[in-house]
Amino acid sequence: METAAKLGFSLAGIIITLLLPPYLDGIARRVKARLQYRRGPPLSQTWYDLRKLFGMPSVKPTKRALFTWAPYLALASAISAALLLPYGNVVPVDFGFNLVVFFYVVLMVSVFLMLAGLTVQNAFSHLGSSREMQIILTVEPLIAILYGVLAYNSGSLNLYTILTGLHLTPSLVLTYILLAYALYVESGFVPFDIAEAEQEVIGGPLSEYSGRLLGVFYYAIHIKRFALLWFFVSLLTIPWIGPIGTPEKAALVLVLQFILTIAFYPAIAALEATNARLRIDHVVKMNTRAFFAGLIILAMAFMGW
Amino acid sequence: MVTTKDLEAHFEFECKACENGRCAKADVEKILSEREGLRDFYEAFKEHIKDCKRMTYGQYMFTIDREILPKAVLWWHNHPKFKETHMSTAVGTDERPLNGHFIYMPFLSVQVEPLNMDRNYWVFLRTYLPADDPSFPSVAEKLPAALWIEREVKDLLGFKPINHPDPRRLILPEDFPDGVYPLRKDMDYRHSPITEPKVEYRETPDNTTLVPMGPAHMGIEEPAHFRLFVKGEEIVDVDYRGFYSHRGIEKTGEGRLTYNQILFLAERICGICGYQHSVSYAMAIERLADVDVPDRARYIRTLMLELERIHNHLLWVGIAAHMVGYDTGFMHAWRIREPVMWLVERLTGNRKQYGMNIIGGVRRDILDYRKDEVLKVVKQIRDGTKTFLDIALNTNTFIKRAEGIGILPYKVAKAYSVLGPTARASGRKIDARLDQATKTAMAYNEVDFKVPVYKEGDVLARVLVRMDELFESLWIVEQLIDQMPGGDIMVPIGELPEYEETLGFTEAHRGEVVHYVMTGEKNKVYRWKVRAPTYNNLPAIPEMLKGYHVADAPLIIASIDPCYSCTERVQFVDVDTGRVKVLTEAEFNELSIKYRGVF
Amino acid sequence: MAETPSYTERLKAWNRFEAEKFSKKAPVTTPYPFIDIEKPPEYRGIPHINPEKCIGCGACVNACPPDALIMEWDKEHGVKRLTYNAARCIRCARCIEVCPTGAMEPTTRFEIATDNKEDLVEVVEHRLAYCEECGEYLDFTERQIEYVKAILPKEIFNMYALEDRIGLTREEKMRKTVVKLRETEGNAYPAFILVEKARDNGGEE
């Protein structure tokens, strides 16, 4: 019974991971359209786009193997990142020290994107890659610090243990706020979509990609965004719902996670729609400030606040 | 007292165009005393001036020696009293069939008093270049505004600007052979030679990388090639290669377009400021034919021009928002714009390319009940734009991207003769609607409006100038509707005089549009030169880009509201041969006249 | 019988269906290719040649700025072909203004997307007038002659004896002139001199 429930939740997790992200994008597109008084595409438009891209051959401008492999590696990283998270009370892939693995695996999506941009001889790819790198270099330390606060707060590096072991302190509230910012930046939503800015660097690292490989990259990016959001939603739900003993309660948690994820997306879309894209130096400045704020929070956590 | 006749006595050749006494041979003394500054110029360059005449109201021409061309241009441009004088452009003409010479003729808009159309005037500095040596001392050496102009005549007519700082090709494609000049009258329009391409890009400076923005780039709607030399993300220098949309319609149109047909071609030079081109061209022809356009036609034209300005400024602000990734602003600006398009569609019959003009007036009258509709739309636009501006100018990220970016100082703006809102955002008080005598074709002298000027010179200032102008335009439209006189909407024009020249101009939403027309025989046009405002604004772009981020480049480029096809596509139409393509039909007409007694 | 409203009334009555939706906030866009869009009556759409009214005079061809209208002669088969190409047309409606018989008819159609370019072309063929004397075709069409006959006053026909000459080729007319001159003056000049004379006299008249 126990294993069956576990298997069921894992399966649910896998299905959600693979199917939901493009629909989330569809929701965002629809919400943005409504804010712009447009009709907007159907909810499964992102799926249609991906299907079209998957069905088309890619033009390869270079012989480097990394160019071909990077999208698949990024997709693998994104999927494994999503599967490291709890669905209900079950984490589909659980090795222990999940938080560290999650941090790295999410990072790998950006890294593969960046490396893919550097494999080709294209000034825009390189510009996009260097922007991606600057974002990674400034936002990842911040995320690392915030994860550190979480780990210190709960006394564990295992994701599920952290989620169940958090206790409410002022530093934790501040961590949540800063984490929301950091994860938003990491996801690359509009004021921070600098690396892939179409008007400026015509898609940045993606500018030489086409067809199936581009589709895989898009899919990976959507899953990565979903994983980061799911992580944040889990932080909001699981610690405060009490011990999850029965499969019924776990199912309730899963539904709650699901609904919250979908509910967050319109808010994100609204933020995207009402902002212009920032410049890389603005972002670096903001991230640096956030990093020092993170250090203060870490100190607060050590002091026990 | 010296008269033009005496001056002509020293002139070493006879001009076929002047033979019949068609040159306005007024008394030199009288001409010189008409406007402030003319006499000073005459005194300063007395021994080099061969001829001076008044072409039409507020347009004066001096025929000068080519040696003093740079001095003369700079005399006007740097005149201590006429601060806002700018070099408009120059025309090169192959007049060898007429008098065996080439003509190179820069012209300037002299601003005695800014925004006073009865005191300001145009000055044409005509120089004759011998057919075997069409060279002249370069003005561009000292005045960057002439950079492109001189490269253009070098490409198309084979003139040689001596000491030009950048004598690369501007207009002709890379694979066009040297020594073939498309605008010379002896080149057949079907001739399109090709050789090995020869690329003349500037070398990448040391320690920089090259970011090629273009020829096709998402941030630029049309083909244009900005080569950004970049250190990290900072732009160090810029090289521009454009004119990919130049089609040389002059040659394909040669021989068959009548002056009424050119009007419709003129309207299609630009998809955005088409009506401005159409009015400019019509104004030139009307001045040549010396007809008074009826008041009602002038008012309707002004109304359409202002409606065009309104929707174009909204279009532009949308594009600017799109360039910084603020798509909501883009969508809303275009949503607000749409009712104007609908209104215009009902007034003229089309959303764009109104086809409203005809030489001597307009084609459609505005029915009286439509006035309420216009006022309704004006109100809708005013409310919508106010809300839009409230939101857009309070969007932190948008302001952050626009403020302090792409600064164009006043001096640079003047040196490059930047026009329109771009110039006004840099503190230049110029506006061709009021600066020059537009009153023959438009009714700007009878309405009241302000010309907004900002001093900051950055992208934000350009946004604000345009938005202020938009509200002024709404106010102009209301006044025009109020004051609309009755009467005819069109007056037929008779024969055009032969070999007369004049200038038509309007202030498009990007700057001053200039159409130079020289008539030929049989109501044909011998030379038609179009200068769109982007032609003057684009060379200043490298100055604006230097020192800013690659990320800002699309926004800065978009901030002058560039229109490449406007600048490049239709440069000239020369119609001189009088050959008719649809031979038999015209033959029928001609023969029927010839043989009418035989019937 | 229901009274047909005047043109101005019809203009007033027309209302853009999107305009209503526009005031009702979102959404302002329409699922355009899946619905029909009606253009206002003032809209200058693609013109259309009414072959029943067209006389083949070519006034539209002379006025057309982009060469969307062209005219060809096929003297062998006695056909004058007027071709309208909507793909070249710039919708300036000059042809509608200059048409003497109202054969160019305005429409409000604007959708010309097609997978076959020939859909965009309208061809009107006219029969050329046939000279019965020499058996050659004239430059103008039978309808042009009919039109001229209809609008010219009777006196002019009588004065120049047009009735029997209008359907002849130029050469035939010249020959007739020569014959006539010979008859009236009884001169023995060679024929070409007489033709020259006739032409000169004609030019001065």
Side-chain angles (χ1 to χ4, degrees):
Chain A
M1 191 63 211
E2 189 80 338
T3 40
K6 209 169 174 179
L7 215 66
F9 277 112
S10 299
L11 207 63
I14 292 169
I15 290 171
I16 290 175
T17 306
L18 293 181
L19 289 185
L20 187 62
Y23 282 111
L24 288 177
D25 193 50
I27 294 173
R29 284 164 91 164
R30 198 60 179 265
V31 169
K32 268 188 254 175
R34 282 309 156 110
L35 283 171
Q36 295 161 356
Y37 289 11
R38 282 189 293 124
R39 206 164 277 273
L43 280 182
S44 21
Q45 185 61 45
T46 311
W47 265 123
Y48 299 149
D49 294 351
L50 287 178
R51 202 175 64 194
K52 192 181 86 184
L53 285 174
F54 289 153
M56 291 199 301
S58 301
V59 178
K60 288 179 193 163
T62 173
K63 286 213 172 93
R64 310 262 291 265
L66 187 60
F67 183 82
T68 319
W69 283 104
Y72 295 106
L73 291 171
L75 182 64
S77 312
I79 292 175
S80 43
L83 294 183
L84 286 168
L85 298 172
Y87 296 86
N89 62 350
V90 176
V91 177
V93 183
D94 197 353
F95 300 125
F97 301 122
N98 262 0
L99 187 65
V100 183
V101 181
F102 179 72
F103 174 79
Y104 273 113
V105 165
V106 169
L107 179 60
M108 281 328 275
V109 181
S110 306
V111 169
F112 282 126
L113 187 65
M114 189 188 88
L115 289 178
L118 292 173
T119 55
V120 287
Q121 283 293 319
N122 182 327
F124 293 107
S125 286
H126 292 188
L127 264 180
S129 291
S130 88
R131 288 173 176 197
E132 185 79 44
M133 186 149 58
Q134 290 185 48
I135 293 177
I136 293 175
L137 285 179
T138 50
V139 83
E140 293 304 333
L142 171 64
I143 292 180
I145 284 178
L146 296 174
Y147 284 180
V149 176
L150 292 180
Y152 185 76
N153 190 301
S154 59
S156 166
L157 274 175
N158 193 328
L159 235 169
Y160 192 69
T161 329
I162 290 174
L163 287 174
T164 46
L166 285 177
H167 44 273
L168 193 62
T169 57
S171 67
L172 190 66
V173 175
L174 291 176
T175 308
Y176 269 38
I177 294 170
L178 221 55
L179 198 60
Y181 164 76
L183 295 181
Y184 191 86
V185 177
E186 165 99 48
S187 304
F189 286 118
V190 152
F192 306 104
D193 68 332
I194 304 160
E196 288 109 54
E198 293 199 331
Q199 290 90 353
E200 292 162 14
V201 288
I202 45 179
L206 298 176
S207 56
E208 289 286 350
Y209 275 98
S210 58
R212 194 171 301 120
L213 292 179
L214 180 66
V216 172
F217 245 137
Y218 275 146
Y219 195 33
I221 289 170
H222 289 317
I223 293 179
K224 173 190 152 190
R225 287 176 173 181
F226 158 78
L228 291 170
L229 183 60
W230 192 267
F231 172 60
F232 190 67
V233 165
S234 305
L235 276 177
L236 285 181
T237 49
I238 296 175
W240 322 116
I241 211 148
I244 308 166
T246 59
E248 287 77 30
K249 192 158 185 196
L252 190 77
V253 171
L254 182 61
V255 170
L256 198 63
Q257 281 177 310
F258 189 79
I259 291 173
L260 264 183
T261 306
I262 289 179
F264 261 105
Y265 236 83
I268 292 172
L271 254 175
E272 278 202 278
T274 49
N275 272 299
R277 185 181 303 117
L278 286 169
R279 228 167 43 210
I280 188 72
D281 52 331
H282 296 153
V283 177
V284 169
K285 216 181 273 171
M286 282 168 75
N287 284 349
T288 321
R289 273 187 214 146
F291 176 72
F292 286 111
L295 281 183
I296 293 168
I297 292 170
L298 189 65
M300 279 169 71
F302 278 129
M303 312 246 285
W305 286 343
Chain B
M1 198 163 62
V2 196
T3 63
T4 39
K5 276 220 161 62
D6 296 330
L7 289 170
E8 265 171 24
H10 303 293
F11 221 26
E12 62 275 355
F13 63 89
E14 200 179 334
C15 172
K16 191 182 164 199
C18 304
E19 217 163 47
N20 307 326
R22 288 196 192 280
C23 286
K25 278 182 185 160
D27 206 79
V28 171
E29 287 298 318
K30 191 170 167 295
I31 292 174
L32 291 180
S33 58
E34 272 180 2
R35 297 287 162 105
E36 206 175 308
L38 289 173
R39 182 173 298 283
D40 297 343
F41 178 73
Y42 182 76
E43 296 295 333
F45 294 95
K46 209 180 217 163
E47 58 272 28
H48 294 289
I49 296 177
K50 301 278 184 236
D51 183 15
C52 61
K53 69 172 184 179
R54 190 182 67 208
M55 295 154 71
T56 169
Y57 183 79
Q59 296 178 12
Y60 298 89
M61 178 191 287
F62 290 97
T63 305
I64 57 172
D65 284 336
R66 56 175 165 166
E67 290 79 30
I68 56 143
L69 193 67
K71 262 193 206 159
V73 170
L74 288 172
W75 189 91
W76 285 110
H77 191 270
N78 300 337
H79 197 288
K81 265 198 269 173
F82 310 152
K83 280 246 177 328
E84 304 292 355
T85 299
H86 63 264
M87 182 175 182
S88 191
T89 190
V91 193
T93 315
D94 180 5
E95 286 194 9
R96 286 177 301 169
L98 304 180
N99 52 35
H101 284 68
F102 286 111
I103 307 295
Y104 179 68
M105 180 160 61
F107 52 92
L108 298 99
S109 165
V110 180
Q111 315 259 354
V112 180
E113 181 193 340
L115 312 185
N116 184 345
M117 66 172 76
D118 288 319
R119 293 187 69 197
N120 302 334
Y121 51 93
W122 296 95
V123 165
F124 290 71
L125 300 170
R126 187 184 182 94
T127 50
Y128 286 91
L129 315 177
D132 50 349
D133 171 32
S135 64
F136 59 91
S138 166
V139 183
E141 211 182 350
K142 288 171 189 119
L143 188 65
L147 275 170
W148 277 26
I149 302 166
E150 288 177 0
R151 283 167 73 183
E152 182 189 318
V153 290
K154 180 174 169 289
D155 272 16
L156 297 178
L157 285 147
F159 295 177
K160 285 182 199 66
I162 297 162
N163 290 334
H164 191 282
D166 181 19
R168 290 177 300 161
R169 222 168 234 193
L170 179 70
I171 290 175
L172 293 179
E174 275 83 1
D175 55 4
F176 204 83
D178 289 331
V180 183
Y181 304 111
L183 267 190
R184 290 195 174 178
K185 299 286 181 199
D186 49 13
M187 168 149 168
D188 190 74
Y189 70 91
R190 283 162 302 194
H191 187 45
S192 105
I194 284 184
T195 55
E196 285 298 305
K198 188 181 77 183
V199 181
E200 295 177 302
Y201 291 134
R202 229 164 66 199
E203 293 223 344
T204 316
D206 291 340
N207 303 325
T208 59
T209 43
L210 172 78
V211 176
M213 243 182 114
H217 186 280
M218 281 187 188
I220 313 171
E221 284 82 8
E222 290 169 72
H225 195 170
F226 291 92
R227 295 160 58 80
L228 311 179
F229 304 122
V230 175
K231 241 181 211 161
E233 283 240 354
E234 195 194 309
I235 300 165
V236 181
D237 208 347
V238 183
D239 183 19
Y240 177 78
R241 168 74 180 148
F243 290 87
Y244 294 109
S245 331
H246 180 75
R247 306 240 195 107
I249 289 183
E250 74 273 25
K251 284 291 173 186
T252 46
E254 192 167 286
R256 66 165 286 272
L257 290 179
T258 63
Y259 64 82
N260 254 331
Q261 287 175 324
I262 293 178
L263 184 75
F264 292 94
L265 187 61
E267 187 153 23
R268 276 150 186 87
I269 287 171
C270 180
I272 297 199
C273 44
Y275 197 64
Q276 315 270 0
H277 282 281
S278 160
V279 172
S280 303
Y281 173 78
M283 178 180 177
I285 298 288
E286 283 154 10
R287 284 207 175 185
L288 282 170
D290 207 11
V291 292
D292 284 333
V293 182
D295 279 351
R296 193 173 173 85
R298 290 198 301 133
Y299 270 75
I300 292 174
R301 276 183 185 176
T302 318
L303 177 73
M304 299 317 302
L305 286 173
E306 289 309 311
L307 286 175
E308 192 164 77
R309 190 183 317 281
I310 290 166
H311 75 66
N312 287 339
H313 277 338
L314 281 168
L315 176 139
W316 177 84
V317 80
I319 297 269
H322 177 61
M323 284 301 149
V324 292
Y326 182 42
D327 276 355
T328 309
F330 165 51
M331 295 287 172
H332 280 283
W334 283 40
R335 175 183 60 82
I336 296 165
R337 167 181 184 250
E338 195 62 20
V340 193
M341 310 297 287
W342 288 343
L343 174 74
V344 166
E345 185 180 31
R346 298 212 69 184
L347 291 180
T348 67
N350 218 337
R351 290 162 62 90
K352 285 293 318 159
Q353 258 95 36
Y354 311 140
M356 185 75 160
N357 258 350
I358 198 87
I359 307 286
V362 290
R363 284 166 77 190
R364 286 195 191 190
D365 202 351
I366 287 186
L367 301 171
D368 274 344
Y369 77 91
R370 281 287 162 70
K371 289 179 177 176
D372 299 334
E373 222 164 289
V374 177
L375 292 177
K376 207 175 93 193
V377 172
V378 165
K379 193 173 172 300
Q380 204 176 338
I381 300 293
R382 184 175 280 141
D383 294 347
T385 316
K386 269 185 186 157
T387 329
F388 170 78
L389 280 183
D390 265 2
I391 295 168
L393 296 182
N394 283 317
T395 302
N396 207 0
T397 38
F398 180 59
I399 298 296
K400 225 175 183 171
R401 289 299 301 273
E403 202 172 9
I405 293 299
I407 292 176
L408 181 73
Y410 178 91
K411 271 195 178 155
V412 182
K414 173 152 167 120
Y416 278 92
S417 282
V418 170
L419 303 167
T422 320
R424 289 195 282 276
S426 295
R428 299 208 62 199
K429 204 171 165 60
I430 52 170
D431 188 330
R433 286 180 288 178
L434 290 177
D435 279 346
Q436 297 288 351
T438 49
K439 56 188 176 185
T440 56
M442 290 154 266
Y444 286 117
N445 55 332
E446 284 159 43
V447 289
D448 159 61
F449 64 98
K450 284 200 286 288
V451 176
V453 176
Y454 281 74
K455 297 251 185 304
E456 289 83 354
D458 58 354
V459 173
L460 187 64
R462 281 169 220 149
V463 175
L464 294 174
V465 162
R466 286 191 166 93
M467 291 300 106
D468 287 4
E469 257 176 44
L470 193 152
F471 287 115
E472 289 298 321
S473 291
L474 290 169
W475 164 230
I476 296 175
V477 169
E478 283 172 340
Q479 291 178 64
L480 290 169
I481 290 290
D482 249 20
Q483 303 173 9
M484 183 80 70
D488 286 343
I489 56 163
M490 195 213 151
V491 56
I493 71 164
E495 298 271 298
L496 291 183
E498 289 179 2
Y499 303 111
E500 286 277 303
E501 313 153 67
T502 192
L503 198 68
F505 44 87
T506 54
E507 174 85 6
H509 62 290
R510 302 175 163 129
E512 142 209 307
V513 170
V514 169
H515 279 232
Y516 163 89
V517 177
M518 178 176 181
T519 49
E521 285 161 342
K522 287 186 194 162
N523 284 343
K524 296 270 182 178
V525 173
Y526 186 81
R527 180 83 163 91
W528 173 37
K529 157 106 184 150
V530 182
R531 206 266 295 131
T534 310
Y535 194 91
N536 280 22
N537 291 345
L538 210 50
I541 282 264
E543 298 293 327
M544 299 184 210
L545 284 174
K546 276 177 203 167
Y548 297 100
H549 271 235
V550 176
D552 297 322
L555 180 65
I556 295 174
I557 293 170
S559 75
I560 65 157
D561 199 355
C563 176
Y564 302 99
S565 67
C566 223
T567 313
E568 298 161 5
R569 183 177 171 195
V570 187
Q571 290 284 336
F572 329 86
V573 168
D574 288 29
V575 183
D576 63 332
T577 53
R579 266 197 23 235
V580 190
K581 201 173 162 192
V582 194
L583 269 173
T584 17
E585 185 53 37
E587 231 173 34
F588 166 64
N589 295 339
E590 261 185 39
L591 293 177
S592 61
I593 295 166
K594 213 169 171 181
Y595 290 112
R596 68 188 160 192
V598 186
F599 265 116
Chain C
M1 212 177 90
E3 226 175 280
T4 44
S6 73
Y7 185 65
T8 321
E9 288 302 314
R10 268 195 293 142
L11 290 189
K12 274 187 194 172
W14 193 87
N15 207 351
R16 191 182 298 271
F17 81 102
E18 299 104 312
E20 284 170 19
K21 289 188 181 164
F22 197 83
S23 53
K24 274 192 248 152
K25 304 271 172 178
V28 293
T29 46
T30 48
Y32 160 58
F34 306 109
I35 56 165
D36 278 336
I37 293 238
E38 195 197 351
K39 283 285 178 188
E42 300 95 327
Y43 182 70
R44 286 198 314 269
I46 312 163
H48 152 77
I49 310 174
N50 185 344
E52 286 180 13
K53 288 188 190 164
C54 182
I55 56 167
C57 65
C60 48
V61 178
N62 275 355
C64 184
D67 264 355
L69 284 151
I70 44 175
M71 188 153 267
E72 292 161 310
W73 276 259
D74 185 351
K75 283 271 175 78
E76 270 181 35
H77 301 96
V79 169
K80 190 178 187 183
R81 202 174 293 118
L82 179 63
T83 313
Y84 165 68
N85 187 350
R88 287 191 73 94
C89 177
I90 60 170
R91 328 274 196 268
C92 64
R94 282 288 288 161
C95 46
I96 296 167
E97 280 180 358
V98 298
C99 185
T101 60
M104 288 305 287
E105 288 174 349
T107 69
T108 56
R109 285 193 305 129
F110 64 97
E111 290 153 315
I112 61 159
T114 172
D115 51 8
N116 183 5
K117 275 188 180 174
E118 284 168 20
D119 294 350
L120 304 175
V121 178
E122 278 182 23
V123 181
V124 177
E125 287 194 352
H126 288 283
R127 237 186 340 199
L128 287 175
Y130 184 73
C131 174
E132 282 166 12
E133 293 282 330
C134 66
E136 278 187 25
Y137 288 103
L138 273 68
D139 285 340
F140 29 84
T141 63
E142 288 175 350
R143 281 193 184 178
Q144 262 173 301
I145 292 176
E146 304 244 322
Y147 189 74
V148 168
K149 276 185 187 167
I151 57 170
L152 281 183
K154 202 84 193 142
E155 300 85 68
I156 293 181
F157 274 93
N158 295 338
M159 197 191 304
Y160 295 101
L162 275 179
E163 197 67 68
D164 47 328
R165 287 161 155 261
I166 197 162
L168 302 177
T169 56
R170 199 187 314 140
E171 290 77 17
E172 199 58 31
K173 276 175 209 155
M174 287 177 191
R175 203 145 54 82
K176 279 211 164 185
T177 313
V178 174
V179 171
K180 206 169 193 177
L181 284 172
R182 271 197 181 148
E183 278 170 5
T184 47
E185 292 176 20
N187 272 334
Y189 281 132
F192 69 91
I193 294 179
L194 284 171
V195 173
E196 284 296 308
K197 263 191 178 173
R199 199 186 286 171
D200 290 348
N201 292 341
E204 278 158 27
E205 263 179 32

